[in-house]
Amino acid sequence: MTNTTIAVIPALRQAQDRPGCARAGIQHRRTSWIPAFAGMTAWVLCAAAHAQGTAYVSSEKDDALTMIDLATLTVKGTVPTCKRGRHIQVTPERRILVACTDSNVADLIDPATGKSLRRIPLGDEPEAFDLSPDGKTLYVSNEDEAEASFIDVASGKKLQSIKVGQEPEGVKVSADGKTLYVTSEVASLVHVIDVASAKVVKNVKVGKRPRRMAITPDGKELWVTNELDATVSIISTATHTVTDTVKFEVKGARAQDITPVGIVMTRDGKRAFVSLGKANHVAFVDVASRKTTKLVLVGKRAWNLALDKAEARLYVVNGLSDDITVVDVAGAKAIKSIPVGRVPYGVVVFE
Amino acid sequence: MRRGLAALALTLLAASAASSATLKATLIVPADDARQERARLERAYLGHPGGPASDGLQLALEEGRFELEAAGSAVSLATQPAATLEAAKAAAQAAEKGGAAVLLTDLPADWTLAVADAVKLPVLNLGASADRLRQQDCRARLFHILPSERMRSDALAQTLVSRKWSKLLLLVGASAQDQQRAATVQASIKRYGLQVVASKPYKLSADPRERDLANPLLLTAGTAYDAVWVVDSDGEFARALPYRTVLPRPVVGDAGLVALGWHAQFERFGAPQVSRRFAKANKRPMTDHDWAAWMGGKALVAAASAEPKGPNAAWAQALAKTPIDGSKGTSLSFRPWDGQLRQPMLLTDGQGVISQAPIEGLMHPTQVLDTLGADAPEKLCKATR
């Protein structure tokens, strides 16, 4: 907390336009460092809570990442990258890694300089990926070849490649690094892959067009969004069977327009955020009761999403309106939409 | 842990092998298909086939292998060419005797009906767009994947409404098919409150005595209109019409802006992956007919994996009620009143996809996709499903 007056004041002015921000700020009262009157404290803390950091947004038609300043919620620049950037993540070494479907590589970007450090070949048409817990192996879905590949990050060599159902998409590795999950959009399956033997050990039938996944922090449940079913399938990681299904409903939207894609969970595993695609909403789901508690209107075809470190703000990528929506989690309200690149795809928050 | 997982995999394989059942399907196509002649295919008219129906069908079955294996099921496909309506009927009966669960057809409308009447199996119509197959001549077990003519003209009419291009000059060919399709176009125009300022016949001719019928400049002179809607099932006249009108107005219908079930340049909802896989396998772009054939294969895979053990009766039921994913952004299902697959339509100029129908903001009491084609209250189909 070394914010100077210069840093705080512009942020403060921003905050005054955003009532949701004040509520978010109150949660951090314990960390108060300005003994001012109550209202003032909330404003300043709000700015302080979001002061440092950048959201990086990939977009399919720009060959660049858009950088958003978390304090001002404005675009502060772009980083040139490979062609048709899609899935984006922060590596354990705190670098930005983005998979590019048309360049067949991942671009490793140093956030300090905004420059590419190196490119890692990922095989044909990579879409989504995950990293082993030690960061040494990359697991990637190769869309056109219907394969899941293991890539050695250091050498860029393909270690394994496993045939899966058509249009593999989501890739998620368990916390212990032993099990890999890959969705196939066409086969409506989640492939359970034993990492050690590089073999599919089970195919779990889920809803239509499964896309992304999240694992509960206790490791017991795998949540899978089903784009053409308006549902999330919950798979027990012990038995690899579907134990529950969360069905989404949005007032005024028909079932066929509710197309869940992105999913992210809070660190305590109590809440999941699911983007509902063409229904243009994000659902807040209570993990224990499987109930949707809030629905927040965002942009067109809400796609992938990310939480900031404080879990106070949710960044939602809108695939058809070329922008992202920043949602205040406590107030369950969109606070700002920010234009980004053309056909934005993924987002990471780097703090 | 590793050994345990491997053992589990083996048990699964054994279990699936034991209960494996094969859904047999037969595709019936014309033996001597004028649409598939080389000179015709080279024209690549929008809305015409780009190659045999088996191309798309095979691709879908190939792609479905993983899903079928996981379900412990399989699909086998036989293709039967038929030279006449009688031969098509005989092929259908032979397939039924041979244990087929589903027939697929890429045949003229009357042949399709003959096949549907010859058997007690579900028939998937992949290639005939005639409205009568969905309306007065419908059959209880006949399903249609290719959009009907009415769906195409409704999609175009909606698009014209959204552009506020409401005054139309209609140019119609002399063939019986053109006349029928023109009546369908008129029904769509009426439904969406557009206006025909003039309707004229045209003729392909270089005879100076017939220039009033053949010359685009003369045909498009004399009235004010927002767009020219050309009905040309053959394609040659329509192709030469855009940019040859007296007024600088767009051409729509069978050239210019065309409503189709698919175009290889469609960019949304995973469509490029489908088109790319098709082009890789068949060395040609994926047309709307190819998409319909591919969806026929997807329907077989969906039915076989919904009911892995069969028998034929269970597959017939599953086929009618299992929604299928056509990479058009929403799950697609057959309308219970006429067996037509409801689906979004794409508006294309041949180079790209300009827009989609239903147009944005259009309302329907239950399912907005039912604004395309004969809706439940308008049905002429008397068959009960």
Side-chain angles (χ1 to χ4, degrees):
Chain A
M1 286 291 179
T2 53
N3 291 24
T4 63
T5 322
I6 300 162
V8 171
I9 284 176
L12 203 157
R13 196 173 298 134
Q14 274 280 333
Q16 283 168 342
D17 303 330
R18 301 192 302 267
C21 185
R23 277 194 292 270
I26 290 165
Q27 294 182 332
H28 301 90
R29 189 168 293 189
R30 226 177 298 163
T31 61
S32 172
W33 54 279
I34 296 185
F37 61 93
M40 181 66 186
T41 312
W43 291 129
V44 171
L45 286 172
C46 172
H50 305 291
Q52 311 245 323
T54 306
Y56 293 82
V57 184
S58 63
S59 54
E60 296 196 44
K61 294 206 169 180
D62 286 319
D63 311 335
L65 306 178
T66 305
M67 292 187 291
I68 292 167
D69 184 83
L70 298 187
T72 61
L73 297 184
T74 53
V75 173
K76 63 178 182 186
T78 58
V79 179
T81 185
C82 39
K83 294 196 173 76
R84 200 167 175 214
R86 291 172 114 184
H87 195 195
I88 181 166
Q89 293 207 51
V90 178
T91 69
E93 290 86 35
R94 301 197 38 83
R95 305 258 159 76
I96 307 291
L97 193 61
V98 58
C100 288
T101 303
D102 285 355
S103 305
N104 299 338
V105 297
D107 198 8
L108 188 68
I109 294 164
D110 180 1
T113 61
K115 295 243 160 49
S116 172
L117 294 166
R118 68 189 187 96
R119 298 203 169 169
I120 305 162
L122 291 185
D124 286 350
E125 275 88 22
E127 172 152 8
F129 65 90
D130 205 359
L131 281 158
S132 59
D134 60 10
K136 287 183 181 161
T137 313
L138 242 163
Y139 305 104
V140 61
S141 54
N142 295 108
E143 199 174 41
D144 282 18
E145 298 297 322
E147 285 173 353
S149 303
F150 296 10
I151 311 280
D152 179 51
V153 173
S155 66
K157 287 223 168 69
K158 190 184 276 190
L159 304 171
Q160 298 283 355
S161 123
I162 302 156
K163 272 279 169 216
V164 293
Q166 284 296 332
E167 294 181 34
E169 158 104 11
V171 179
K172 195 95 204 160
V173 70
S174 61
D176 61 10
K178 286 184 179 159
T179 311
L180 179 68
Y181 301 96
V182 178
T183 62
S184 160
E185 293 181 63
V186 171
S188 298
L189 296 173
V190 172
H191 305 290
V192 183
I193 296 169
D194 173 44
V195 171
S197 63
K199 291 250 172 357
V200 175
V201 292
K202 189 159 184 194
N203 294 304
V204 186
K205 185 97 183 161
V206 289
K208 252 188 181 39
R209 221 170 172 87
R211 299 292 296 249
R212 293 307 167 109
M213 295 171 283
I215 298 176
T216 50
D218 62 11
K220 288 185 179 157
E221 289 175 3
L222 177 76
W223 287 44
V224 188
T225 57
N226 301 310
E227 191 178 19
L228 295 191
D229 255 358
T231 58
V232 161
S233 298
I234 301 172
I235 294 173
S236 152
T237 54
T239 61
H240 290 139
T241 51
V242 175
T243 55
D244 247 318
T245 303
V246 182
K247 180 101 190 156
F248 295 101
E249 284 170 5
V250 179
K251 210 178 166 193
R254 298 209 168 120
Q256 66 265 21
D257 290 325
I258 301 172
T259 54
V261 176
I263 182 164
V264 64
M265 251 178 219
T266 52
R267 277 191 300 277
D268 63 8
K270 288 194 172 150
R271 191 182 245 181
F273 302 92
V274 180
S275 65
L276 301 184
K278 287 197 289 179
N280 303 340
H281 278 76
V282 171
F284 291 18
V285 183
D286 180 58
V287 170
S289 69
R290 320 315 201 187
K291 292 264 186 313
T292 300
T293 54
K294 298 264 196 286
L295 282 166
V296 181
L297 181 66
V298 292
K300 275 181 87 177
R301 199 179 180 196
W303 231 342
N304 290 304
L305 30 75
L307 275 170
D308 64 2
K309 205 194 277 174
E311 298 181 336
R313 283 178 178 171
L314 183 68
Y315 294 80
V316 185
V317 176
N318 305 310
L320 287 183
S321 50
D322 288 356
D323 56 7
I324 66 161
T325 303
V326 186
V327 174
D328 170 49
V329 172
K333 209 169 157 58
I335 51 176
K336 193 172 181 186
S337 282
I338 308 161
V340 289
R342 288 184 59 218
V343 193
Y345 183 97
V347 58
V348 285
V349 175
F350 188 88
E351 290 175 88
Chain B
M1 176 65 182
R2 249 174 90 182
R3 194 163 300 159
L5 282 170
L8 180 67
L10 277 176
T11 344
L12 278 168
L13 284 173
S16 67
S19 62
S20 175
T22 300
L23 186 160
K24 286 186 180 174
T26 299
L27 168 69
I28 307 174
V29 296
D32 190 15
D33 193 345
R35 302 171 308 161
Q36 304 285 348
E37 284 165 11
R38 195 187 67 185
R40 194 91 206 142
L41 292 177
E42 280 172 355
R43 300 275 161 251
Y45 291 123
L46 291 173
H48 293 219
S54 53
D55 286 355
L57 200 44
Q58 290 287 6
L59 181 71
L61 297 183
E62 197 68 31
E63 291 172 6
R65 191 163 292 170
F66 222 105
E67 186 178 353
L68 290 171
E69 271 171 22
S73 187
V75 174
S76 75
L77 177 73
T79 303
Q80 279 300 330
T84 61
L85 181 149
E86 291 306 322
K89 215 166 130 176
Q93 284 162 339
E96 187 176 38
K97 251 192 212 120
V102 183
L103 302 183
L104 304 102
T105 57
D106 182 24
L107 298 171
D110 44 350
W111 296 28
T112 309
L113 281 182
V115 164
D117 288 338
V119 293
K120 295 205 155 32
L121 302 175
V123 177
L124 290 177
N125 162 26
L126 307 177
S129 59
D131 289 302
R132 69 182 177 100
L133 294 179
R134 285 89 171 157
Q135 291 275 54
Q136 62 272 27
D137 290 335
C138 73
R139 297 292 186 269
R141 288 180 304 273
L142 182 56
F143 298 90
H144 314 277
I145 296 183
L146 195 69
S148 65
E149 287 302 327
R150 182 61 192 266
M151 290 169 76
R152 296 183 60 192
S153 57
D154 279 342
L156 199 45
Q158 289 185 9
T159 307
L160 294 171
V161 167
S162 73
R163 299 283 188 279
K164 299 195 174 69
W165 296 341
S166 51
K167 290 189 181 357
L168 305 171
L169 169 62
L170 202 55
L171 299 183
V172 182
S175 75
Q177 200 185 353
D178 285 347
Q179 295 294 317
Q180 267 170 26
R181 292 178 63 226
T184 302
V185 168
Q186 292 274 16
S188 296
I189 286 173
K190 192 171 165 215
R191 182 194 242 181
Y192 288 102
L194 302 166
Q195 188 194 345
V196 177
V197 292
S199 177
K200 297 181 187 177
Y202 68 80
K203 193 175 170 190
L204 272 174
S205 168
D207 183 346
R209 281 159 291 259
E210 293 183 318
R211 65 182 173 214
D212 285 356
L213 286 174
N215 183 325
L217 289 173
L218 295 173
L219 279 165
T220 58
T223 33
Y225 46 84
D226 297 320
V228 181
W229 190 323
V230 59
V231 179
D232 178 12
S233 310
D234 168 73
E236 186 179 342
F237 175 82
R239 173 156 290 178
L241 193 60
Y243 308 106
R244 287 196 174 90
T245 52
V246 162
L247 298 175
R249 300 285 181 269
V251 171
V252 302
D254 286 321
L257 192 66
V258 182
L260 296 174
W262 188 257
H263 190 274
Q265 291 297 333
F266 188 42
E267 286 196 326
R268 301 279 179 215
F269 312 121
Q273 285 85 283
V274 176
S275 293
R276 195 182 299 136
R277 288 202 298 272
F278 184 91
K280 218 181 234 180
N282 299 301
K283 310 278 178 284
R284 62 187 183 84
M286 188 175 190
T287 65
D288 56 331
H289 281 259
D290 295 322
W291 181 83
W294 178 73
M295 283 296 276
K298 300 264 289 184
L300 298 180
V301 171
S305 58
E307 294 287 346
K309 294 195 183 76
N312 284 6
W315 283 325
Q317 276 196 358
L319 195 72
K321 63 168 203 246
T322 311
I324 32 182
D325 174 7
S327 290
K328 290 211 255 185
T330 176
S331 213
L332 309 178
S333 53
F334 292 105
R335 288 179 182 141
W337 57 90
D338 64 359
Q340 171 70 51
L341 188 76
R342 46 167 77 90
Q343 55 189 291
M345 298 289 292
L346 311 180
L347 282 299
T348 174
D349 64 346
Q351 296 196 56
V353 174
I354 310 295
S355 61
Q356 294 174 53
I359 55 170
E360 206 163 314
L362 195 67
M363 310 274 262
H364 183 280
T366 53
Q367 164 59 281
V368 73
L369 290 176
D370 291 340
T371 62
L372 301 169
D375 200 357
E378 305 162 311
K379 68 164 186 177
L380 299 177
C381 179
K382 300 255 181 343
T384 45
R385 282 170 194 272

